[in-house]
Amino acid sequence: AQSVTQPDIHITVSEGASLELRCNYSYGATPYLFWYVQSPGQGLQLLLKYFSGDTLVQGIKGFEAEFKRSQSSFNLRKPSVHWSDAAEYFCAVGAKAYDMRFGAGTRLTVKP
Amino acid sequence: DTAVSQTPKYLVTQMGNDKSIKCEQNLGHDTMYWYKQDSKKFLKIMFSYNNKELIINETVPNRFSPKSPDKAHLNLHINSLELGDSAVYFCASRRDRGPNTGELFFGEGSRLTVL
């Protein structure tokens, strides 16, 4: 089965600074890749996804992610973080056979 | 209308009891899931159903029994509750057709506390 690693458990950035959250996956074929965000006490909301084609994908709230097959990575980026971006971020890898696995999550704290 | 709805949102119960969590989706999706999120926020897949058939059954104790009466519903019944079952349980449905195939839609979660 596929697996996902998010190396950073917790990241703190200052408001207005740039952000990069790391995600590495393991899967035998080209996976479906996702980033979800979870605000406290809420369910998960999709930020962006990669299925095929252009390896740089744009999402909601100004986020983008780049798929790098050679590095088995799908890192999430944002050029300027807002205080409202503080949340838990999950990378996920899905396969056609319905299996969807999530990373352990990265908690983002935004300093004023 | 809520796309994926779970009830109850909060559940507090004693060890040894049996409880159920219900999930309904009105998105017309064929695939539904149960995930368990522990206190460290780790999301672990438990079950997946496609067209009422069990597709994924992770190494979950058989005290957990999912039931899908139709494509729009996936309920989770838990027997003989243990302290370690305390967690937030998320239901999700998956788009299986069209340009956004594979995207999961989550309910708001059901927080289970076992005392």
Side-chain angles (χ1 to χ4, degrees), chain B residues 11-102:
Chain B
L11 189 52
V12 181
T13 189
Q14 299 286 331
M15 265 196 316
N17 284 350
D18 303 337
K19 290 295 178 186
S20 293
I21 307 172
K22 296 185 176 181
C23 179
E24 176 181 6
Q25 55 99 358
N26 62 7
L27 299 168
H29 294 166
D30 292 336
T31 304
M32 296 182 71
Y33 300 79
W34 278 110
Y35 284 86
K36 178 181 180 181
Q37 186 173 48
D38 61 24
S39 58
K40 295 184 178 179
K41 300 295 185 182
F42 183 66
L43 269 167
K44 185 179 186 307
I45 190 169
M46 300 174 70
F47 302 103
S48 173
Y49 270 73
N50 177 261
N51 282 320
K52 302 191 297 176
E53 286 192 30
L54 182 63
I55 300 297
I56 295 172
N57 183 353
E58 283 295 289
T59 50
V60 176
N62 57 16
R63 298 182 294 105
F64 290 79
S65 52
K67 284 193 172 45
S68 182
D70 54 59
K71 287 195 317 183
H73 296 84
L74 180 61
N75 304 324
L76 183 66
H77 187 75
I78 315 170
N79 290 326
S80 304
L81 279 156
E82 300 177 357
L83 293 177
D85 298 333
S86 295
V88 181
Y89 292 84
F90 283 98
C91 177
S93 73
R94 172 182 144 141
R95 191 195 302 267
D96 285 333
R97 285 180 284 274
N100 292 323
T101 294

Side-chain angles (χ1 to χ4, degrees), chain A residues 36 49 51 98 100-101, chain B residues 33 35 37 58 100-101 104:
Chain A
Y36 284 84
K49 59 189 179 291
F51 290 161
Y98 310 106
M100 179 78 88
R101 305 282 167 154
Chain B
Y33 300 79
Y35 284 86
Q37 186 173 48
E58 283 295 289
N100 292 323
T101 294
L104 292 190

